[in-house]
Amino acid sequence: MGIEAFSNCYYLTNVNILNGITNIKYHSFFYCHNLKSVSIPNSVTRIEEKAFYACKSLTDINLSNVIFIGNSAFEHCHSFTSVTIPDNIRYIGNLAFWGCKNLKIVYVRGDVEKVRKLYNFDKSVKFVPVEK
């Protein structure tokens, strides 16, 4: 998916990304304030910097095969209440979930301590291990 592919598409509400896409690039959905739902296929392994920055209506997202989450990838996604981090995650960038003021639960498939070391989540966030 190209750089700034849907950047500033204020009226975009739902997206189904095609299977075979491996990378959601820089600013792909930047400032898509009304984006509520994104269907990400298992082929996606990278979500780059500010890919979903300020998608204030986005409630959750499938990160099942993602190994890389770039800086500020989900910054200011205010409607997130929970997120599931896959066991194969290798990198979570600075401010990746900063400003997600309703994020209360991080489900972790795999090593909770590894995820805690990868990213400094707000102290109020509860970590819940889940089966793989």
Side-chain angles (χ1 to χ4, degrees):
M1 175 155 304
I3 293 173
E4 298 181 346
F6 297 97
S7 185
N8 295 301
C9 288
Y10 302 112
Y11 301 104
L12 187 66
T13 59
N14 300 297
V15 172
N16 290 315
I17 296 173
L18 296 174
N19 193 29
I21 300 288
T22 59
N23 192 348
I24 299 174
K25 297 207 181 214
Y26 176 80
H27 281 204
S28 288
F29 296 96
F30 186 79
Y31 276 104
C32 292
H33 293 301
N34 293 307
L35 184 62
K36 294 178 183 172
S37 171
V38 177
S39 176
I40 295 180
N42 288 335
S43 59
V44 173
T45 58
R46 293 179 62 90
I47 297 176
E48 297 203 0
E49 185 175 340
K50 296 184 179 181
F52 292 95
Y53 183 94
C55 291
K56 296 177 180 184
S57 300
L58 191 60
T59 57
D60 65 357
I61 200 157
N62 173 15
L63 301 174
S64 63
N65 284 333
V66 174
I67 61 172
F68 178 96
I69 300 172
N71 297 339
S72 301
F74 298 103
E75 186 174 342
H76 296 297
C77 288
H78 299 300
S79 295
F80 269 177
T81 56
S82 68
V83 66
T84 302
I85 304 293
D87 61 340
N88 55 343
I89 193 75
R90 293 187 192 145
Y91 179 81
I92 302 175
N94 292 327
L95 305 174
F97 295 96
W98 192 84
C100 296
K101 60 186 177 185
N102 291 309
L103 182 61
K104 302 296 180 210
I105 300 173
V106 175
Y107 296 102
V108 179
R109 287 192 165 93
D111 186 357
V112 170
E113 288 308 310
K114 173 185 165 185
V115 172
R116 285 181 197 241
K117 289 176 185 173
L118 285 174
Y119 185 75
N120 186 22
F121 285 92
D122 187 272
K123 291 182 183 355
S124 66
V125 169
K126 180 181 177 183
F127 289 86
V128 177
V130 294
E131 292 184 29
K132 295 180 185 181

